[in-house]
Amino acid sequence: MRDSATSGDTVMMPDAALSPKLKSGGGPLPHLRPRSTEELAELLRHAPPTSTYRIVGAGSWPGIADRITANSLIDLSGLHGITEYVPGDLTLTARAGTPLSVIAATTAAHGQWLPLDPWGADDGTLGATLATASAGPLSASIGLPRDAALGITVVDAAGTIVTAGGRVVKNVAGFDLVRLHVGAWGTLGILCEVTVRLRPMPAADRTFAIALPRGARDLATLLSTMQRSSPAPLATELVNAPLAAAMGLPAVDTACVRWGGAAAAVMAAVDDLARTAHLVEIPTSAWAMLRSSEPHDATVVRYSTRPSELPVLWHAITHAAPSDARLHATVARGVVRVMASAEHQAQVIAATAPRQPAIIVERGFQLRRPPTAVDRLNQTIRGAHDPARRLNPGLMDHARA
Amino acid sequence: MLPVGVERELADIVGARFVLTRPGELLAYTADGLPGYRHDPALVVLPGNREEAIAVVQLLARRKVSFVPRGAGTGLSGGALADGTVVVGLNRMRRVLDIDVVNRWAVVEPGVVNAHLTRAVAPHGLHYAPDPSSQTACTIGGNVAENAGGPHCLKYGVTLNHVLALTVVLANGEVVTLGSTSGETEGYDLLGAFIGSEGCFGVVLDATVRLTANPPAVRTMLADFPSIDAAARATSAIIAAGLVPAALEMMDQPTIVAVEASIYAAGYPTDAAAVLLVELDGPDAGIDADVAAVERWCRDAGARDVRVATNELDRQRLWQGRKKAFGAMGRVSSHLVVQDAVIPRTRLPEVLGEIGRIGREEAVTVCNVFHAGDGNLHPNIPYNGNDPGEAARVERAMVRIMDACIAAGGSVTGEHGIGIDKLPYMPKLFSEASLAAMCRLRDCFDPERRLNPGKVVPVRSCKEWTMAPAARA
Amino acid sequence: MHAPNATTPSAALAGTPLARAGAGLDLCVHCGFCLQACPTYLALDDENDSPRGRLVLMRGLLQGDLQLTDESVTTHFDRCLGCRGCETACPSGVPYGTLIEATRATLAQRRPLPAVARFLLRVFRHPRLLTLALAVARAARWTGVPALLARLPRDVSFPFAMLESTRGRDAKPSYAPAAVAEGPRVALLTGCVMEGLCATTNRATERVLAHNGYQLVDAPGQRCCGALHAHAGDVPAAQELARANIAAFERSGADFVVTNAAGCGSILKEYEHLLADDPAWRERAKGIAARSRDVSELLAARGPRRGGPVHATVAWDAPCHLQHAQRVVQPPLAVLGAIPGLRVVPLVDSDQCCGSAGIYNLVEPDTSHRVLDTKLARIDASGADLVVSSNPGCLMQLGAGLLSGGHRARAVHLVDLLDASYAAEAGPHAT
Ligand SMILES: Cc1cc2nc3c(=O)[nH]c(=O)nc-3n(C[C@H](O)[C@H](O)[C@H](O)COP(=O)(O)OP(=O)(O)OC[C@H]3O[C@@H](n4cnc5c(N)ncnc54)[C@H](O)[C@@H]3O)c2cc1C
Ligand code: SF4
Ligand code: SF4
């Protein structure tokens, strides 16, 4: 991939590990698989100073390895299992390598769930979900991954075990290291154990598809009607025609709306919307299909704007993206996710520039721009926690001057 | 002592009337909502707008002066006290800068009073959900700094869950924006790390906060119990059943009596051992079934009576009584201690029993008024501090209660913050390494440690963190 | 944890009114609920000008940490409106009104009141001086000169604008009392300012009471109620006036003493407290205090009778001494409810002081004007044509502010509005 200037001072760069001079000698990296927090701490305390680590949960995050320039690998799959679950408290503590599917099965037996639905499949781990703060469709109503985390145990680059937060649902004791580590991609320390807040599973959980043949125009109408919906939907995700087709729906721009709650309340909300829109009930499994719809060779970029501006942004993006690109939008947060080749992404970035959306590249390349005061603060934090950049080097360094 | 000339330079920025230095005028700023602690500030400066606030912080940075932000001074952990340093009061910055009705957020200055924000957006059928009991007095800046909670945070979440972005001036005078309206940011969750940093990471200049639509239906219930244990069991039952009330608050008899004697008398039964105030909200459909379920769980746990507020006036009265309960305790005795422990909700009956036992053994009156649904306890002990024997017993009871909560797997503060009041408990909760990690984060925001010095993390832990903050990139 | 709060008085203030009232300070838990209820805190943004701050200063004085001669301290007491908005916000029951009066009385023992204050209080204490002063004021108003002077810059013009704002309506409504006078016997505290400058409102008060069945009786010998003196710390003068009034109302044989001036009503209800140390008068004071009512209370107790339509958009601005001191909240709204055609709009912070506060606006004009400006902005925002209140001080303050600021709304007494409604019902030709 060539370096391509996009707009102003922002420059597209290939992912670090892909550039020939950084590519490690090939072959698998030395592979470490600690089976406890203490073992991991020990390992880091005694590691050779030149070792750098790629941290892996289930290894399911596509493409991320390309960005990390480490010379060894820490596999957290040995840290698995639920260590404490008190259904009456609606809290659960599990080791970082525990797959979400295991947590889902355990909690479902008590009518509870952990409403985190990161992009990808449910074999992703709890630790990775929080470390990446991957926010799926439910984030629009139930909150971001950071809102679910109550307490953590991490091991930092020097091999020190640090705990923060706790097992109670409300806690302001000390500076908030929980929020610091959630979304830090393991660069400040390795998440080993996490306590999360659970929710009662909604009595009724139903999903409907609403076709929007006129795209952005239909979207605007739908959004204004849905403002008043009570209960507010658990999720409203807009998918474009190719993605709808991949999910087994008619190939047309479609809004997928999910309501949860008391059966009567959901019924009332559905009836209300049905007065102005044509709703087709679809199975809840559609969400899993949506989340795992990402082509492995695609680059992924997220654009965000004011939710009220979403129809305009959606319009701009759908027109700039190739007709087979998959796109979807988390409506309540004003976020559009675009899966396409890097060249096409450059076109979309250029086409949306007048709307000035915030742009985050999930994978495939990086954007370099002049560092801001916030970037400098980020780098100070990175440097204070991992001065030698040993944990997931290459990540969270995008704006390093 | 302040460096020479600082007072005059500050007066040049904000005007002489807003720089206080005379001992008489500093007295009002020696305490917050917890007047057991008094620290004498060297000076109080009250900037009137964003530019003045930035200029003040930059001046203090140049002159290497430590300072403490202050909102309304309703904090309950001594967080806004300045010991020989400067107080920067943000109460004059109280404009609502923007209300975006469609996207449901508002941008406010830090001195906006929590309840005034809700008042400003009420015409649009919206409100600001975090509702600390002090909401008619406390400021959004103070709420952000303490990550304030409130009764309705059970369903709607605490301040952290409602702040989308902050503009902050750091101790070195640099202005940064943390977070974004979509929740999408590159880099670390600095917004999340900042919220609850108790004025140690920076001064909030403006906050973009989420607004919440008023629910179509609301039912407020008052359940009356013959024992604290019964009320605790009802609480655990409601939570475990998976119904999430908008709020679930408990008050015990001594609290009820104090409230009923006050101007906020709400008609609580003074002969009840405890009452639960339960609010359900949501769509009209299904709400009455939930009311019936809550009533059933309360009665199963032994409630003598359960009533539903008949109209909005009645409902507000029930809430006012609860929200002013802490203040009402002033009439019980001349002194008052207040705690803020959190425990797992299944342990409520057991821990409340233990607290009762400790109160009896130490011969002190414990008044409980708290966010039961979250397991966030506020055991308050009114007493006569002029009696040294009683004061010592109260002190002992408090430590024992905190230890009991920690032993139950809890925390020492759910919403009031550590400040200076709870510093001694920090080593009981966190290892030295974990406390050092907190200091490390603070040093990233304020390497010179000039912002709100001496708060949140015991000084010992910070001293041991000797490594200089990494070179700035 | 939160500990020492109790006050240990220093010897210096022993025996002063503040030392006697000092126990009230211990009730304050420092919660801050009173801050936003305090107009001077909102206007001045300094915690020293908040109730909680003033209580801290009082404690400082009492403990000897601060001196009565320290002007940086006393100025904050001077700036207190005495509106007692803080009292009805305080969950702990801190008797702020008593404490500030005690503080002022203690201060008055050590330093003279400001010259303006001394002059005004003297006038109000001496019936003949007062009659003369009010006559001069009326004469001046008649000349129309104040109306002109009211247009000058506010610093000099405000007193004239206040005077101008008292000009009554030209048309004199008259209607025959609808009810037979079989109700309780009531004596009106005519009040010095009310009778002197707003006599039309006093007549209206008599008419609307009679229309609701009350029997009016005279109470000759009554004097100024003494409120201004008590609030300023001149307790002996207030007591002297109270005794004269108690005697006059006892003689009248009335079941109720009625006032249409909230400030006067509140001191009447506090006569017992004022004369608590006077064994000869304590019981008599208690008797009169117990029989004192605001006119809205008496009207609401008998309905009030509905009147004819008045088409106006009105907002109720509660006088502090009605809302916070007497804690009479609902009756004025009931009176407004009896007037068909009114559109009553909410006024934000209608329970907050307008800055009038007795003679405060003349003694502390700066703060008074800041407080007033907030009120005027709220009135503008409410969209009301008429701001209804029921205290002469408030009506003059609001009236003058509205007049000199070129605002649309006008200020009117609750009773005058009801009176107009009754007149409208009777029709233009009624006698
Ligand atoms: C009666 C009563 C009831 C209460 N109920 C609750 C409750 O239900 N829930 C709850 O959470 N709390 C409650 N509190 C505690 C208190 O009201 C909250 O902590 C509130 O958030 C403090 O706000 P404040 O404006 O008074 O802040 P202050 O007390 O002035 O300051 C608190 C902290 O915030 C910092 N700070 C203030 N402004 C800024 C700013 N602009 N930028 C950076 N830092 C700043 C200060 O340095 C200090 O550390 C209660 C207090 C009282 C007295
Ligand atoms: S009486 Fe009025 S002005 Fe004085 S402190 Fe109380 S609220 Fe403030
Ligand atoms: S409301 Fe009452 S108790 Fe609270 S600070 Fe004010 S005076 Fe003190």
Side-chain angles (χ1 to χ4, degrees), chain B residues 198-223:
Chain B
E198 305 195 24
C200 296
F201 286 7
V203 179
V204 177
L205 295 174
D206 67 53
T208 306
V209 298
R210 195 191 297 282
L211 301 174
T212 304
N214 297 344
V218 181
R219 300 284 188 278
T220 307
M221 312 168 69
L222 185 74

PDB file of all heavy atoms in Angstrom, chain B residues 198-223:
ATOM      1  N   GLU B 198     -11.417  14.194  41.796  1.00  0.00           N
ATOM      2  CA  GLU B 198     -11.481  15.029  43.000  1.00  0.00           C
ATOM      3  C   GLU B 198     -10.642  16.305  42.920  1.00  0.00           C
ATOM      4  O   GLU B 198      -9.968  16.692  43.866  1.00  0.00           O
ATOM      5  CB  GLU B 198     -11.099  14.210  44.242  1.00  0.00           C
ATOM      6  CG  GLU B 198     -11.961  12.959  44.394  1.00  0.00           C
ATOM      7  CD  GLU B 198     -11.849  12.328  45.786  1.00  0.00           C
ATOM      8  OE1 GLU B 198     -11.498  13.033  46.736  1.00  0.00           O
ATOM      9  OE2 GLU B 198     -12.124  11.118  45.897  1.00  0.00           O
ATOM     10  N   GLY B 199     -10.676  16.926  41.752  1.00  0.00           N
ATOM     11  CA  GLY B 199      -9.987  18.208  41.628  1.00  0.00           C
ATOM     12  C   GLY B 199      -8.478  18.086  41.583  1.00  0.00           C
ATOM     13  O   GLY B 199      -7.783  19.086  41.733  1.00  0.00           O
ATOM     14  N   CYS B 200      -7.941  16.886  41.381  1.00  0.00           N
ATOM     15  CA  CYS B 200      -6.486  16.706  41.371  1.00  0.00           C
ATOM     16  C   CYS B 200      -5.908  16.676  39.963  1.00  0.00           C
ATOM     17  O   CYS B 200      -4.694  16.721  39.788  1.00  0.00           O
ATOM     18  CB  CYS B 200      -6.110  15.399  42.073  1.00  0.00           C
ATOM     19  SG  CYS B 200      -6.529  15.378  43.811  1.00  0.00           S
ATOM     20  N   PHE B 201      -6.747  16.535  38.943  1.00  0.00           N
ATOM     21  CA  PHE B 201      -6.231  16.362  37.579  1.00  0.00           C
ATOM     22  C   PHE B 201      -6.378  17.616  36.723  1.00  0.00           C
ATOM     23  O   PHE B 201      -5.779  17.713  35.657  1.00  0.00           O
ATOM     24  CB  PHE B 201      -6.960  15.210  36.867  1.00  0.00           C
ATOM     25  CG  PHE B 201      -6.568  13.828  37.341  1.00  0.00           C
ATOM     26  CD1 PHE B 201      -5.743  13.659  38.438  1.00  0.00           C
ATOM     27  CD2 PHE B 201      -7.035  12.703  36.684  1.00  0.00           C
ATOM     28  CE1 PHE B 201      -5.388  12.385  38.878  1.00  0.00           C
ATOM     29  CE2 PHE B 201      -6.688  11.423  37.105  1.00  0.00           C
ATOM     30  CZ  PHE B 201      -5.862  11.261  38.207  1.00  0.00           C
ATOM     31  N   GLY B 202      -7.212  18.536  37.138  1.00  0.00           N
ATOM     32  CA  GLY B 202      -7.431  19.718  36.316  1.00  0.00           C
ATOM     33  C   GLY B 202      -8.699  20.419  36.757  1.00  0.00           C
ATOM     34  O   GLY B 202      -9.424  19.923  37.611  1.00  0.00           O
ATOM     35  N   VAL B 203      -8.937  21.576  36.172  1.00  0.00           N
ATOM     36  CA  VAL B 203     -10.130  22.347  36.507  1.00  0.00           C
ATOM     37  C   VAL B 203     -11.091  22.263  35.327  1.00  0.00           C
ATOM     38  O   VAL B 203     -10.728  22.584  34.194  1.00  0.00           O
ATOM     39  CB  VAL B 203      -9.776  23.823  36.779  1.00  0.00           C
ATOM     40  CG1 VAL B 203     -11.029  24.620  37.093  1.00  0.00           C
ATOM     41  CG2 VAL B 203      -8.769  23.931  37.911  1.00  0.00           C
ATOM     42  N   VAL B 204     -12.306  21.836  35.587  1.00  0.00           N
ATOM     43  CA  VAL B 204     -13.307  21.738  34.530  1.00  0.00           C
ATOM     44  C   VAL B 204     -13.732  23.142  34.107  1.00  0.00           C
ATOM     45  O   VAL B 204     -14.102  23.960  34.945  1.00  0.00           O
ATOM     46  CB  VAL B 204     -14.551  20.966  35.025  1.00  0.00           C
ATOM     47  CG1 VAL B 204     -15.626  20.935  33.959  1.00  0.00           C
ATOM     48  CG2 VAL B 204     -14.159  19.562  35.441  1.00  0.00           C
ATOM     49  N   LEU B 205     -13.659  23.418  32.835  1.00  0.00           N
ATOM     50  CA  LEU B 205     -14.096  24.721  32.315  1.00  0.00           C
ATOM     51  C   LEU B 205     -15.484  24.626  31.706  1.00  0.00           C
ATOM     52  O   LEU B 205     -16.271  25.560  31.758  1.00  0.00           O
ATOM     53  CB  LEU B 205     -13.121  25.228  31.258  1.00  0.00           C
ATOM     54  CG  LEU B 205     -11.709  25.552  31.733  1.00  0.00           C
ATOM     55  CD1 LEU B 205     -10.831  25.911  30.549  1.00  0.00           C
ATOM     56  CD2 LEU B 205     -11.727  26.680  32.746  1.00  0.00           C
ATOM     57  N   ASP B 206     -15.759  23.494  31.069  1.00  0.00           N
ATOM     58  CA  ASP B 206     -17.127  23.234  30.637  1.00  0.00           C
ATOM     59  C   ASP B 206     -17.322  21.734  30.521  1.00  0.00           C
ATOM     60  O   ASP B 206     -16.361  20.983  30.379  1.00  0.00           O
ATOM     61  CB  ASP B 206     -17.498  23.963  29.345  1.00  0.00           C
ATOM     62  CG  ASP B 206     -16.737  23.444  28.136  1.00  0.00           C
ATOM     63  OD1 ASP B 206     -16.751  22.216  27.901  1.00  0.00           O
ATOM     64  OD2 ASP B 206     -16.143  24.265  27.411  1.00  0.00           O
ATOM     65  N   ALA B 207     -18.570  21.322  30.624  1.00  0.00           N
ATOM     66  CA  ALA B 207     -18.890  19.901  30.553  1.00  0.00           C
ATOM     67  C   ALA B 207     -20.020  19.712  29.563  1.00  0.00           C
ATOM     68  O   ALA B 207     -20.991  20.474  29.566  1.00  0.00           O
ATOM     69  CB  ALA B 207     -19.314  19.390  31.930  1.00  0.00           C
ATOM     70  N   THR B 208     -19.864  18.723  28.683  1.00  0.00           N
ATOM     71  CA  THR B 208     -20.955  18.351  27.789  1.00  0.00           C
ATOM     72  C   THR B 208     -21.610  17.122  28.404  1.00  0.00           C
ATOM     73  O   THR B 208     -20.955  16.089  28.573  1.00  0.00           O
ATOM     74  CB  THR B 208     -20.429  18.016  26.386  1.00  0.00           C
ATOM     75  OG1 THR B 208     -19.660  19.123  25.930  1.00  0.00           O
ATOM     76  CG2 THR B 208     -21.571  17.749  25.419  1.00  0.00           C
ATOM     77  N   VAL B 209     -22.857  17.274  28.777  1.00  0.00           N
ATOM     78  CA  VAL B 209     -23.513  16.183  29.504  1.00  0.00           C
ATOM     79  C   VAL B 209     -24.737  15.693  28.753  1.00  0.00           C
ATOM     80  O   VAL B 209     -25.378  16.429  28.017  1.00  0.00           O
ATOM     81  CB  VAL B 209     -23.936  16.622  30.925  1.00  0.00           C
ATOM     82  CG1 VAL B 209     -22.717  17.024  31.749  1.00  0.00           C
ATOM     83  CG2 VAL B 209     -24.946  17.754  30.885  1.00  0.00           C
ATOM     84  N   ARG B 210     -25.012  14.434  28.952  1.00  0.00           N
ATOM     85  CA  ARG B 210     -26.145  13.792  28.324  1.00  0.00           C
ATOM     86  C   ARG B 210     -27.433  14.248  29.017  1.00  0.00           C
ATOM     87  O   ARG B 210     -27.464  14.428  30.229  1.00  0.00           O
ATOM     88  CB  ARG B 210     -25.983  12.289  28.549  1.00  0.00           C
ATOM     89  CG  ARG B 210     -26.824  11.380  27.722  1.00  0.00           C
ATOM     90  CD  ARG B 210     -26.729   9.959  28.276  1.00  0.00           C
ATOM     91  NE  ARG B 210     -25.394   9.386  28.221  1.00  0.00           N
ATOM     92  CZ  ARG B 210     -24.827   8.889  27.120  1.00  0.00           C
ATOM     93  NH1 ARG B 210     -25.472   8.933  25.974  1.00  0.00           N
ATOM     94  NH2 ARG B 210     -23.622   8.354  27.160  1.00  0.00           N
ATOM     95  N   LEU B 211     -28.483  14.438  28.246  1.00  0.00           N
ATOM     96  CA  LEU B 211     -29.784  14.740  28.828  1.00  0.00           C
ATOM     97  C   LEU B 211     -30.674  13.524  28.634  1.00  0.00           C
ATOM     98  O   LEU B 211     -30.546  12.804  27.652  1.00  0.00           O
ATOM     99  CB  LEU B 211     -30.407  15.964  28.152  1.00  0.00           C
ATOM    100  CG  LEU B 211     -29.570  17.251  28.246  1.00  0.00           C
ATOM    101  CD1 LEU B 211     -30.210  18.364  27.421  1.00  0.00           C
ATOM    102  CD2 LEU B 211     -29.406  17.687  29.696  1.00  0.00           C
ATOM    103  N   THR B 212     -31.562  13.294  29.574  1.00  0.00           N
ATOM    104  CA  THR B 212     -32.383  12.093  29.543  1.00  0.00           C
ATOM    105  C   THR B 212     -33.848  12.502  29.393  1.00  0.00           C
ATOM    106  O   THR B 212     -34.290  13.465  30.024  1.00  0.00           O
ATOM    107  CB  THR B 212     -32.175  11.306  30.856  1.00  0.00           C
ATOM    108  OG1 THR B 212     -30.774  11.047  30.995  1.00  0.00           O
ATOM    109  CG2 THR B 212     -32.929   9.994  30.847  1.00  0.00           C
ATOM    110  N   ALA B 213     -34.561  11.765  28.558  1.00  0.00           N
ATOM    111  CA  ALA B 213     -35.978  12.070  28.363  1.00  0.00           C
ATOM    112  C   ALA B 213     -36.751  11.715  29.626  1.00  0.00           C
ATOM    113  O   ALA B 213     -36.494  10.688  30.252  1.00  0.00           O
ATOM    114  CB  ALA B 213     -36.526  11.273  27.177  1.00  0.00           C
ATOM    115  N   ASN B 214     -37.673  12.577  30.001  1.00  0.00           N
ATOM    116  CA  ASN B 214     -38.508  12.255  31.155  1.00  0.00           C
ATOM    117  C   ASN B 214     -39.329  11.020  30.837  1.00  0.00           C
ATOM    118  O   ASN B 214     -39.890  10.918  29.742  1.00  0.00           O
ATOM    119  CB  ASN B 214     -39.445  13.426  31.475  1.00  0.00           C
ATOM    120  CG  ASN B 214     -38.669  14.670  31.879  1.00  0.00           C
ATOM    121  OD1 ASN B 214     -37.486  14.598  32.194  1.00  0.00           O
ATOM    122  ND2 ASN B 214     -39.335  15.808  31.860  1.00  0.00           N
ATOM    123  N   PRO B 215     -39.398  10.073  31.764  1.00  0.00           N
ATOM    124  CA  PRO B 215     -40.147   8.855  31.470  1.00  0.00           C
ATOM    125  C   PRO B 215     -41.642   9.158  31.395  1.00  0.00           C
ATOM    126  O   PRO B 215     -42.134  10.023  32.119  1.00  0.00           O
ATOM    127  CB  PRO B 215     -39.828   7.963  32.677  1.00  0.00           C
ATOM    128  CG  PRO B 215     -39.424   8.896  33.766  1.00  0.00           C
ATOM    129  CD  PRO B 215     -38.805  10.091  33.102  1.00  0.00           C
ATOM    130  N   PRO B 216     -42.348   8.457  30.515  1.00  0.00           N
ATOM    131  CA  PRO B 216     -43.780   8.718  30.379  1.00  0.00           C
ATOM    132  C   PRO B 216     -44.544   8.393  31.669  1.00  0.00           C
ATOM    133  O   PRO B 216     -45.501   9.081  32.000  1.00  0.00           O
ATOM    134  CB  PRO B 216     -44.230   7.776  29.261  1.00  0.00           C
ATOM    135  CG  PRO B 216     -42.995   7.269  28.618  1.00  0.00           C
ATOM    136  CD  PRO B 216     -41.855   7.461  29.566  1.00  0.00           C
ATOM    137  N   ALA B 217     -44.114   7.362  32.372  1.00  0.00           N
ATOM    138  CA  ALA B 217     -44.857   6.990  33.579  1.00  0.00           C
ATOM    139  C   ALA B 217     -43.904   6.875  34.753  1.00  0.00           C
ATOM    140  O   ALA B 217     -42.795   6.369  34.613  1.00  0.00           O
ATOM    141  CB  ALA B 217     -45.584   5.666  33.366  1.00  0.00           C
ATOM    142  N   VAL B 218     -44.341   7.359  35.903  1.00  0.00           N
ATOM    143  CA  VAL B 218     -43.540   7.273  37.131  1.00  0.00           C
ATOM    144  C   VAL B 218     -44.449   6.859  38.272  1.00  0.00           C
ATOM    145  O   VAL B 218     -45.563   7.363  38.402  1.00  0.00           O
ATOM    146  CB  VAL B 218     -42.918   8.648  37.485  1.00  0.00           C
ATOM    147  CG1 VAL B 218     -42.062   8.536  38.743  1.00  0.00           C
ATOM    148  CG2 VAL B 218     -42.084   9.178  36.338  1.00  0.00           C
ATOM    149  N   ARG B 219     -43.996   5.902  39.082  1.00  0.00           N
ATOM    150  CA  ARG B 219     -44.750   5.521  40.282  1.00  0.00           C
ATOM    151  C   ARG B 219     -43.793   5.557  41.458  1.00  0.00           C
ATOM    152  O   ARG B 219     -42.731   4.927  41.418  1.00  0.00           O
ATOM    153  CB  ARG B 219     -45.300   4.099  40.156  1.00  0.00           C
ATOM    154  CG  ARG B 219     -46.244   3.884  38.991  1.00  0.00           C
ATOM    155  CD  ARG B 219     -47.634   4.465  39.262  1.00  0.00           C
ATOM    156  NE  ARG B 219     -48.540   4.068  38.198  1.00  0.00           N
ATOM    157  CZ  ARG B 219     -48.613   4.694  37.019  1.00  0.00           C
ATOM    158  NH1 ARG B 219     -47.850   5.731  36.763  1.00  0.00           N
ATOM    159  NH2 ARG B 219     -49.456   4.262  36.091  1.00  0.00           N
ATOM    160  N   THR B 220     -44.163   6.288  42.483  1.00  0.00           N
ATOM    161  CA  THR B 220     -43.312   6.377  43.667  1.00  0.00           C
ATOM    162  C   THR B 220     -44.022   5.711  44.830  1.00  0.00           C
ATOM    163  O   THR B 220     -45.180   6.010  45.115  1.00  0.00           O
ATOM    164  CB  THR B 220     -43.015   7.853  43.979  1.00  0.00           C
ATOM    165  OG1 THR B 220     -42.509   8.451  42.795  1.00  0.00           O
ATOM    166  CG2 THR B 220     -41.998   7.978  45.090  1.00  0.00           C
ATOM    167  N   MET B 221     -43.331   4.771  45.445  1.00  0.00           N
ATOM    168  CA  MET B 221     -43.971   3.979  46.506  1.00  0.00           C
ATOM    169  C   MET B 221     -43.227   4.158  47.817  1.00  0.00           C
ATOM    170  O   MET B 221     -42.005   4.299  47.834  1.00  0.00           O
ATOM    171  CB  MET B 221     -43.929   2.491  46.142  1.00  0.00           C
ATOM    172  CG  MET B 221     -44.373   2.207  44.731  1.00  0.00           C
ATOM    173  SD  MET B 221     -43.990   0.517  44.228  1.00  0.00           S
ATOM    174  CE  MET B 221     -45.128  -0.404  45.263  1.00  0.00           C
ATOM    175  N   LEU B 222     -43.988   4.133  48.902  1.00  0.00           N
ATOM    176  CA  LEU B 222     -43.398   4.193  50.229  1.00  0.00           C
ATOM    177  C   LEU B 222     -43.813   2.927  50.961  1.00  0.00           C
ATOM    178  O   LEU B 222     -45.000   2.680  51.162  1.00  0.00           O
ATOM    179  CB  LEU B 222     -43.913   5.426  50.970  1.00  0.00           C
ATOM    180  CG  LEU B 222     -43.261   5.656  52.336  1.00  0.00           C
ATOM    181  CD1 LEU B 222     -41.843   6.185  52.170  1.00  0.00           C
ATOM    182  CD2 LEU B 222     -44.083   6.633  53.157  1.00  0.00           C
ATOM    183  N   ALA B 223     -42.832   2.114  51.330  1.00  0.00           N
ATOM    184  CA  ALA B 223     -43.133   0.877  52.041  1.00  0.00           C
ATOM    185  C   ALA B 223     -42.625   1.011  53.466  1.00  0.00           C
ATOM    186  O   ALA B 223     -41.523   1.501  53.698  1.00  0.00           O
ATOM    187  CB  ALA B 223     -42.476  -0.312  51.350  1.00  0.00           C
TER     188      ALA B 223
END
